[in-house]
Amino acid sequence: MKKNILKGFTMLTLLVAVSLATAVVSANAQSNPIKANIPFEFVVGDKTLPAGMYTVKSATTAGNALAIQRSDGKNSAVRQTGPTEQKNNSRARMVFHRYGHNYFLAEVWSGESTGRELTKSKQERAIERELASIPSKRELAQSTYETVVVIAVLR
C-alpha cells in the first residue's frame, strides 16, 4: 500500500515538474514577439497580406502556431509552424520564398538558433509542382525562385 502511494506521489511530482517546465518555455517563446517592415505583399496560408509593419508572435501556448498581424490591426493571419534550427545567424528575421512576383512567408526567427518554419500553403505547393513538372521551366524556376530575408527587431 505504501509503495503504491509513494509511486503515485512520485508520478504526480514528475507531472507537475514537466508542466512547469513547459509553461516556462512557452511563456518565454511568447514574450519575444518580433516586428518587421515588409516592403511587399506576401502570402500566409490562404491569405494575402499587404506590405507594411507587422508583429509576429506565438498564437498558442505550445508555440506551434504563429500570429502575424499588421500594425494597424486590419490584416492578420495565423499559421501552423514547426521548429527549425540554424547555427550561423542569430538575427531576428523573416524569411520569404519568392516565385516571380509572389512572396510566401516561410520562416520566422526571433534572434536565437531555433526558429519557426511555416507549413507551405496550397498555392505555394501548386507553384512548386507546376515549375517542377515542365522540363523547359526548370531554368525558369531557378531564375524565378529566390529566398528573401527581411531583418526584424525584437519588440
Side-chain angles (χ1 to χ4, degrees):
M1 175 95 168
K2 286 183 183 182
K3 236 182 187 180
N4 285 340
I5 292 174
L6 184 58
K7 189 187 251 185
F9 181 73
T10 303
M11 292 301 286
L12 180 63
T13 304
L14 181 61
L15 181 63
V16 168
V18 168
S19 297
L20 286 174
T22 303
V24 168
V25 168
S26 295
N28 188 31
Q30 285 184 320
S31 66
N32 293 325
I34 65 167
K35 263 192 151 179
N37 187 20
I38 311 301
F40 44 78
E41 177 178 276
F42 64 101
V43 177
V44 176
D46 61 351
K47 288 187 117 178
T48 300
L49 302 174
M53 183 65 73
Y54 284 86
T55 300
V56 180
K57 61 183 176 181
S58 180
T60 62
T61 55
N64 57 356
L66 291 178
I68 300 97
Q69 183 172 25
R70 192 168 167 175
S71 295
D72 63 10
K74 292 182 181 178
N75 300 92
S76 64
V78 176
R79 192 73 178 160
Q80 283 289 116
T81 65
T84 186
E85 292 186 23
Q86 185 174 357
K87 294 181 170 68
N88 61 355
N89 194 339
S90 62
R91 297 192 70 170
R93 63 199 183 278
M94 295 173 71
V95 179
F96 296 86
H97 293 162
R98 182 186 67 80
Y99 303 88
H101 298 293
N102 298 315
Y103 292 84
F104 297 88
L105 181 59
E107 300 172 5
V108 176
W109 297 83
S110 63
E112 300 171 6
S113 61
T114 303
R116 303 301 298 177
E117 184 174 24
L118 281 75
T119 307
K120 287 184 180 180
S121 67
K122 288 180 184 178
Q123 185 181 0
E124 183 176 6
R125 289 192 312 264
I127 290 171
E128 286 179 334
R129 278 193 307 272
E130 182 182 342
L131 291 174
S133 69
I134 303 169
S136 63
K137 286 195 174 182
R138 289 194 185 161
E139 289 176 21
L140 177 64
Q142 291 173 349
S143 67
T144 60
Y145 174 78
E146 180 181 23
T147 299
V148 178
V149 177
V150 176
I151 302 299
V153 295
L154 294 174
R155 202 173 130 192

